Amino acid sequence: MDELNTAFSAEGSTARRRTHARNRSFVSQNSSQSVTQHTRPRLKTPSLRHRTSTPDSLRSTFSQSDIISPIPRRHHHLQAHESRLWLDTPPLSPTSTRAGSPGSTRGVTPLSLRPRHTLSFSSIAEHDPSRSHHVAHDKKSEDSMARRWVRWMHKHGIKNYVIPAAVLGAALIKWCIGLGSYSGQGTPPMYGDYEAQRHWMELTLHLPVKQWYSYDLEYWGLDYPPLTAYVSWLCGVIGNWINPAWVALDKSRGIESPESKAFMRTTVLAFDTLVYIPAIVLFTRVWQESRSTRTQHVALLTLLFQPALLLIDFGHFQYNSVMLGFTLLALNFFASGQDLLGAVCFSLGLGFKQMALYYAPAIGSYLVAKCIYLGPQKGRSLFIRLALVTILTFLLLFLPFLPPLAPLSAILDPIARIFPFARGLFEDKVANFWCASNVVFKWKVWLSRPQLVKMSAILTAVGFFPGVVTLLYGGWKHRMLSEADDKSRAKDSPSSSTPEPLLPLLPYALLNSSMSFFLFSFQVHEKTILVPLLPLTFLLSGSSSGSETFELGVLVNNVAVFSMWPLLKRDGLAIPYIATLVLWNRLVGYNPLRLNSQSFLRYLSLAIYTAMVSLHILELLISPPARFPDLFPVLNVLISTPIFALTWLWSIKRGVEVSWALGGLGPSSTPAKSSQPALSTLRPMLAERKPTLDRLTVNGLDGVPEENFNLTLDKDFIPNARQLKTRSLGFARGAKVLQRTASAELPG
């Protein structure tokens, strides 16, 4: 190597000197060839310019064989490290070569021969000061238990066994939780939710369908939709085949034998494995397809070991994972453009448990927004098909209660049981608006039940109204933008089989809608917090450690489990309560005592955790006074409710930001007719000029052959600046940063 370096340095001044040493001549000859290869002109890679640059800067850059980069710098409110599909943007990893997922715009693939001075989106991200602290957090996230285990599995060539091992490990933990006590164990005469689920098996097995919702309502009358009844009937058939004493009508009430307990626990685990597990596996592959396999596996572990769901379904005893699994399958189908199958799955979720209604405003608004986006003809067709499929699904579910199988009045029995307005405003001490404010204002004393029902309906509607508006208005706005390009849309018109461009808004709308129901609706249980935890945990699984979404997602998950502590304590689940919280926080790599960022959310989290631990210590050491027997549950509510309210406000804020970033909010910017083509016309025009291009996507070049790097465009190909700006994702610092970075080239 030293001889080669010497030859390189001497090539310019001493190449003409004669040498009489044979070895030196040989070295000189080889080094001359190396220098020739080294000084060969590099292939010219087009520099990436911001697509919202001014027309003057674009014209100046086109003369240098540059192309417009359709990837803008991100607005500072948009998390640059979250799952790409949430924001419909490509991955930001400087070393990632993975393209975006279908239905989203594809990312710029780094080229192996790219000159070091070329301006790329990755280099912009590296030099963005707003991301500097997130890079440090990403490195610290490698310390999480989940990432270490996944990395070890991948490095040892057994990555194909990550999912089976994770599912089996989760099943083992679920079964261990099930070895403990359950709701109402040893507490006659009514026992608890465990006895209710078992009683429904004997009820549906021995009674005709028309009596399912009217038989002995005082003892755990059936109050869930028909699909739950059908599942109970199936379990009753299997249980009766194994041991008829487990489901004997009336005679089996309160049965608590170890064999019947094992059977009941097995039914929960079986339906969880059949519905929820496939749903979350598909979620990591559909919604996070642009992420690496390791990241998908980490996201799967985050969802598998969610402590709140483990404690309620496998400890307290319920079948919530079935309803959540159907909802998640619907979201997966929506992301894949299969809206009819998504509508069927969501209808099945509603038919299994009425709590799925918490998602209805968001999902309904999303589907209507897609119909608006597709236009009058295709949108009307999709709307009619969605309506027919939904109606047909519910007709099949309620068919035994409809003529000619039953009198028309029979349908009133399940409806009256499913919507229990005859009950109180809330049960026990649930961390929502009504229970928290009841400490000061006694709602049940000052207002009648009909007045409370109306008031809760109004507040709930006001709560989810922002999410509905952002979706509907965004769909209309995108339709207006698509109509501005009649020529390009003639070739590339929206299709009902592709995801609607506002898909990144759906998780935030789901969170907004479900949290609104939890905080303001009538008759809410503490277990209902599982519904808003679903979309929030999805967002958490796609974020990196240290991000705002990660911090809030972990905080809300921990506070949600804490808010159910009075219920879990009554069920005797103190040890699983602590164990699942510690395990999950270790898996995601979260340390509540580590102040690695001086943010309001981090200090708020520390204060909340201090209050939670202090309350547990007080409850352990001090008995509540006789005058206030519910002192500790009320304090629990007062600690938890502000966090849930903050999450509701955050979902509105993030929904507005993401909708603005996607071009769905803001003043109308339909461009006037111009001789300059719109952005969507760039692809066919470039394909005509360069037919050898493999692919040109709206987010950059992907798969472009090296011999086609020298790409020149005429001034006629300059897009309209207003159109480009309308479709931009925004900037971190607005127009000033745009002016500084529009034509700047950062060193690699």
Side-chain angles (χ1 to χ4, degrees):
M1 181 60 72
D2 293 337
E3 292 179 349
L4 287 176
N5 292 334
T6 304
F8 271 112
S9 61
E11 182 65 25
S13 59
T14 64
R16 298 183 182 89
R17 296 179 181 178
R18 296 182 177 179
T19 59
H20 53 80
R22 181 178 179 181
N23 293 337
R24 186 172 182 87
S25 298
F26 177 76
V27 174
S28 177
Q29 183 180 359
N30 291 340
S31 61
S32 177
Q33 296 177 0
S34 300
V35 172
T36 302
Q37 296 176 359
H38 179 72
T39 58
R40 181 180 301 171
R42 293 184 179 180
L43 294 174
K44 188 172 183 181
T45 304
S47 301
L48 300 181
R49 305 290 180 179
H50 200 286
R51 69 177 178 184
T52 57
S53 304
T54 61
D56 295 336
S57 63
L58 293 179
R59 294 189 181 94
S60 63
T61 57
F62 281 150
S63 61
Q64 304 174 10
S65 301
D66 293 352
I67 65 170
I68 303 174
S69 168
I71 308 176
R73 293 193 64 179
R74 202 173 305 271
H75 188 271
H76 69 280
H77 287 301
L78 300 181
Q79 301 297 326
H81 37 266
E82 294 176 6
S83 177
R84 295 309 105 211
L85 193 53
W86 302 140
L87 302 179
D88 207 15
T89 56
L92 295 184
S93 174
T95 60
S96 176
T97 60
R98 190 171 293 100
S101 60
S104 65
T105 53
R106 296 180 68 85
V108 175
T109 302
L111 304 173
S112 59
L113 295 179
R114 175 171 294 173
R116 299 187 65 183
H117 64 274
T118 301
L119 177 62
S120 65
F121 184 69
S122 297
S123 62
I124 292 177
E126 288 175 348
H127 289 79
D128 189 355
S130 64
R131 284 176 44 85
S132 59
H133 66 281
H134 294 308
V135 174
H137 294 321
D138 290 339
K139 294 180 180 179
K140 290 183 178 180
S141 67
E142 294 294 331
D143 296 332
S144 69
M145 184 188 302
R147 290 184 182 273
R148 290 199 304 268
W149 180 72
V150 170
R151 185 169 61 249
W152 183 88
M153 296 285 285
H154 280 244
K155 287 185 176 180
H156 287 76
I158 50 177
K159 64 179 181 180
N160 293 332
Y161 296 95
V162 170
I163 295 179
V167 172
L168 289 176
L172 177 61
I173 292 178
K174 294 170 183 176
W175 189 259
C176 291
I177 296 175
L179 294 177
S181 60
Y182 48 81
S183 173
Q185 181 175 355
T187 57
M190 294 300 294
Y191 301 95
D193 284 345
Y194 173 91
E195 171 62 16
Q197 300 286 344
R198 192 213 57 79
H199 176 65
W200 294 346
M201 295 180 187
E202 67 175 78
L203 184 150
T204 55
L205 179 65
H206 296 285
L207 296 177
V209 176
K210 62 181 181 180
Q211 298 183 27
W212 284 2
Y213 287 93
S214 58
Y215 179 78
D216 196 5
L217 299 181
E218 296 299 325
Y219 187 81
W220 297 116
L222 183 60
D223 57 0
Y224 278 6
L227 187 55
T228 293
Y230 304 147
V231 170
S232 298
W233 172 83
L234 178 61
C235 294
V237 171
I238 298 175
N240 185 67
W241 177 70
I242 299 174
N243 188 346
W246 294 346
V247 289
L249 184 62
D250 295 337
K251 297 180 181 179
S252 61
R253 292 186 178 184
I255 184 172
E256 294 182 329
S257 64
E259 295 80 11
S260 64
K261 175 183 176 182
F263 168 73
M264 295 292 291
R265 294 294 194 187
T266 303
T267 60
V268 178
L269 185 61
F271 282 104
D272 176 84
T273 305
L274 291 174
V275 181
Y276 186 71
I277 298 299
I280 61 176
V281 172
L282 288 176
F283 161 78
T284 59
R285 295 182 177 180
V286 173
W287 284 82
Q288 299 198 23
E289 189 175 6
S290 63
R291 312 299 295 272
S292 67
T293 307
R294 292 187 184 183
T295 303
Q296 293 179 13
H297 289 163
V298 173
L300 178 64
L301 292 172
T302 303
L303 297 169
L304 270 177
F305 295 93
Q306 184 188 20
L309 185 59
L310 293 180
L311 291 170
I312 294 301
D313 274 19
F314 301 95
H316 177 81
F317 196 92
Q318 280 192 342
Y319 296 87
N320 294 292
S321 60
V322 179
M323 179 269 293
L324 298 176
F326 279 127
T327 303
L328 185 50
L329 286 174
L331 299 181
N332 293 335
F333 284 126
F334 292 151
S336 302
Q338 304 179 52
D339 298 318
L340 298 182
L341 291 177
V344 171
C345 288
F346 183 65
S347 299
L348 292 177
L350 279 169
F352 188 84
K353 206 164 188 177
Q354 59 267 41
M355 284 199 310
L357 187 65
Y358 288 19
Y359 300 129
I363 291 181
S365 300
Y366 167 77
L367 293 175
V368 172
K370 182 169 184 176
C371 294
I372 296 174
Y373 167 72
L374 294 177
Q377 184 176 358
K378 294 183 179 180
R380 187 184 302 112
S381 175
L382 178 61
F383 182 83
I384 293 174
R385 286 181 291 153
L386 286 171
L388 291 177
V389 166
T390 304
I391 294 174
L392 181 60
T393 304
F394 278 105
L395 285 177
L396 291 176
L397 289 175
F398 285 89
L399 186 61
F401 306 94
L402 296 173
L405 300 179
L408 186 60
S409 59
I411 191 65
L412 299 178
D413 291 335
I415 292 178
R417 295 292 299 168
I418 292 172
F419 301 101
F421 292 111
R423 300 181 185 178
L425 183 61
F426 54 86
E427 289 189 8
D428 295 330
K429 298 296 183 291
V430 54
N432 69 350
F433 166 77
W434 300 110
C435 187
S437 59
N438 193 70
V439 176
V440 178
F441 188 87
K442 303 300 180 182
W443 297 101
K444 298 179 182 180
V445 175
W446 294 99
L447 296 177
S448 63
R449 181 177 300 167
Q451 291 175 324
L452 289 175
V453 171
K454 294 179 181 179
M455 189 173 179
S456 64
I458 294 174
L459 288 180
T460 304
V462 172
F464 65 70
F465 182 75
V468 172
V469 170
T470 53
L471 282 171
L472 295 179
Y473 183 74
W476 174 81
K477 187 68 174 292
H478 277 277
R479 179 59 192 170
M480 295 297 102
L481 294 175
S482 65
E483 289 180 351
D485 267 337
D486 294 336
K487 294 183 180 179
S488 61
R489 293 299 178 183
K491 299 180 181 179
D492 254 345
S493 59
S495 172
S496 60
S497 62
T498 58
E500 183 257 335
L502 293 179
L503 186 65
L505 270 176
L506 185 55
Y508 299 102
L510 289 170
L511 178 59
N512 171 244
S513 175
S514 56
M515 191 60 79
S516 300
F517 272 91
F518 177 78
L519 287 174
F520 304 115
S521 64
F522 193 87
Q523 182 54 216
V524 176
H525 297 264
E526 59 270 58
K527 302 179 293 291
T528 315
I529 192 60
L530 293 174
V531 183
L533 281 184
L534 181 72
L536 182 61
T537 309
F538 293 164
L539 292 169
L540 165 64
S541 67
S543 63
S544 61
S545 178
S547 66
E548 180 183 84
T549 303
F550 178 85
E551 294 286 343
L552 184 65
V554 176
L555 173 64
V556 176
N557 269 276
N558 291 333
V559 172
V561 178
F562 170 76
S563 69
M564 295 185 293
W565 166 246
L567 174 68
L568 300 175
K569 178 186 176 182
R570 188 165 59 247
D571 295 340
L573 297 173
I575 294 179
Y577 166 80
I578 299 174
T580 53
L581 276 177
V582 173
L583 173 63
W584 186 75
N585 281 269
R586 288 289 296 166
L587 276 176
V588 301
Y590 181 75
N591 183 0
L593 301 179
R594 185 174 59 196
L595 289 176
N596 46 17
S597 62
Q598 297 182 355
S599 63
F600 167 76
L601 186 58
R602 197 58 165 156
Y603 287 112
L604 175 64
S605 301
L606 184 60
I608 292 297
Y609 292 136
T610 302
M612 291 165 53
V613 173
S614 301
L615 182 59
H616 281 313
I617 295 175
L618 288 176
E619 191 173 1
L620 182 64
L621 300 178
I622 303 175
S623 299
R627 183 180 178 184
F628 303 106
D630 296 330
L631 174 63
F632 294 129
V634 170
L635 292 177
N636 187 303
V637 168
L638 296 179
I639 293 174
S640 305
T641 303
I643 299 302
F644 298 148
L646 177 66
T647 307
W648 169 64
L649 295 174
W650 180 83
S651 67
I652 298 175
K653 165 180 166 290
R654 290 289 293 143
V656 172
E657 290 169 354
V658 175
S659 183
W660 168 84
L662 295 174
L665 293 179
S668 178
S669 57
T670 303
K673 293 184 178 181
S674 173
S675 60
Q676 299 171 340
L679 177 63
S680 57
T681 63
L682 268 178
R683 180 171 57 183
M685 288 189 292
L686 289 172
E688 293 176 1
R689 294 180 59 84
K690 291 290 182 181
T692 57
L693 289 178
D694 287 344
R695 184 165 63 257
L696 179 63
T697 64
V698 294
N699 259 17
L701 290 172
D702 186 13
V704 181
E706 296 177 358
E707 59 267 24
N708 294 321
F709 285 175
N710 294 325
L711 180 64
T712 58
L713 299 177
D714 298 334
K715 293 183 179 179
D716 295 337
F717 289 88
I718 303 175
N720 185 286
R722 293 186 64 192
Q723 292 175 332
L724 295 177
K725 188 172 183 179
T726 300
R727 301 173 187 228
S728 171
L729 288 181
F731 294 97
R733 293 173 183 81
K736 294 183 179 180
V737 174
L738 183 148
Q739 295 174 1
R740 291 200 303 267
T741 62
S743 59
E745 294 184 353
L746 300 177

